[in-house]
Amino acid sequence: MLQTSISQQTGFAHLSDLPCLKLQYGTASAVISLYGAQVLSYQPTAENEVLWLSPKAQWHNQQAIRGGVPLCWPWFGPASATFNPQNISLPNHGLVRNKMWQVSSQQSSADSVSVTLTLTVQDLPHVQGSTRLQLSVTLNDSLTLTLSCDSVMPQQAALHSYFTVNNLDSALVRPLPSSYQDKVNDTFVDDSSCAATFKAETDRIYHQSAAQLWLEQAEQLLSLSQRGHDATVVWNPWQEKSSKMSDLQLDSYQQFVCVETANLSIDNQALTLSQQLKRT
Ligand code: TA6
């Protein structure tokens, strides 16, 4: 009989006082921090970690945890005027990475284990009243994260996933569109390779990306399926940026790449954004 469980645990890695949930489905496991509703670990089999957590990640003082799958909502990057009509000081990547979420439901079956976390936000800078955001996480032979908000309003979102890489030089993300927005050089680039490699600071938005992507490395392949997106963001800070980030070590850039499932439209819309991860 397949062993399945959902259990509360205090602490993960060096974050020893962090309230978490642990999901187990046979040999697969995942750990989710209630702070930020942030998946911090996904192991399809024991000791086979898919996600990357900075050894210098912190969760006190309202800091967002560096690693796992941070949730960016209701805006991505700096808040544009749509989200900041009063032009006040607002954090990068929205308001929910440093909030304590509630567990609203959980279920275990022979098919999967899943949990739903919920956060109610009062008075967003651009929308008065209360808005409810949900993250559902389902574990079986893959891990699926779904971020949803039923409110029809301007909202962006991203599942800002940090993936462990064993050899950055061989890491490759494809298939990607043949052009991208280069945020490092503030320009648009045509790239017939339709792939992202990591040879320098990389910060790219690929608009209208495909539903099925692959993160390829020398000896392993990760399937990344996405739904409800209109873009994929690919990021690696490289050495200089890493050196300026207090929650990264100098060599951290060599250990991860971010491949982010995003919805960057600012139209009035409800949100359902999913990323499914599977080692193949
Ligand atoms: O997704 C890429 C990016 O927008 C980069 O520009 C960089 O800012 C990164 O996210 C990390 O942002 P954070 O606010 O988590 O430091």
Side-chain angles (χ1 to χ4, degrees), residues 161-178:
S161 306
Y162 287 71
F163 296 110
T164 295
V165 292
N166 303 316
N167 176 339
L168 183 63
D169 198 43
S170 72
L172 188 73
V173 180
R174 59 181 171 186
L176 291 165
S178 58

Side-chain angles (χ1 to χ4, degrees), residues 85-97:
Q86 312 295 326
N87 196 25
I88 58 177
S89 171
L90 290 171
N92 210 34
H93 290 332
L95 300 169
V96 301
R97 294 190 288 179

Side-chain angles (χ1 to χ4, degrees), residues 13-14 23 38 40 44 58 66 73 76-77 101 105 129 136-138 148 193 214 269:
H14 64 287
L23 279 59
Q38 197 156 333
L40 300 180
Q58 295 300 317
R66 177 75 59 195
W73 183 87
F76 178 81
W101 292 50
S105 70
S136 293
V137 180
T138 299
S148 58
S193 76
W214 302 89
Q269 58 183 357

Side-chain angles (χ1 to χ4, degrees), residues 45-66:
T45 53
E47 307 308 316
N48 174 7
E49 181 58 70
V50 170
L51 300 176
W52 183 81
L53 176 70
S54 173
K56 295 181 74 178
Q58 295 300 317
W59 75 284
H60 295 298
N61 308 317
Q62 297 296 302
Q63 189 166 346
I65 297 172
R66 177 75 59 195

Side-chain angles (χ1 to χ4, degrees), residues 10-35:
T10 299
F12 176 73
H14 64 287
L15 303 170
S16 53
D17 57 352
L18 183 68
C20 298
L21 288 177
K22 178 161 186 181
L23 279 59
Q24 192 79 38
Y25 182 84
T27 61
S29 67
V31 174
I32 311 165
S33 160
L34 299 188
Y35 178 74

Side-chain angles (χ1 to χ4, degrees), residues 64-67 70 72 76-78 91-93 97 158 160 162 183 201-205 233-237 241 245 247 258 260:
I65 297 172
R66 177 75 59 195
C72 307
F76 178 81
N92 210 34
H93 290 332
R97 294 190 288 179
H160 194 301
Y162 287 71
K183 289 171 56 186
E201 182 185 351
T202 306
D203 196 346
R204 302 175 180 179
I205 301 177
V233 182
V234 177
W235 179 60
N236 183 287
K241 267 273 172 68
M245 298 171 81
D247 54 2
C258 285
E260 308 157 34

Side-chain angles (χ1 to χ4, degrees), residues 168-213:
L168 183 63
D169 198 43
S170 72
L172 188 73
V173 180
R174 59 181 171 186
L176 291 165
S178 58
S179 65
Y180 60 85
Q181 183 180 347
D182 180 351
K183 289 171 56 186
V184 175
N185 301 302
D186 192 20
T187 182
F188 282 84
V189 176
D190 291 326
D191 177 359
S192 59
S193 76
C194 297
T197 54
F198 302 89
K199 311 297 183 194
E201 182 185 351
T202 306
D203 196 346
R204 302 175 180 179
I205 301 177
Y206 290 88
H207 295 279
Q208 304 309 316
S209 49
Q212 176 65 54
L213 305 179

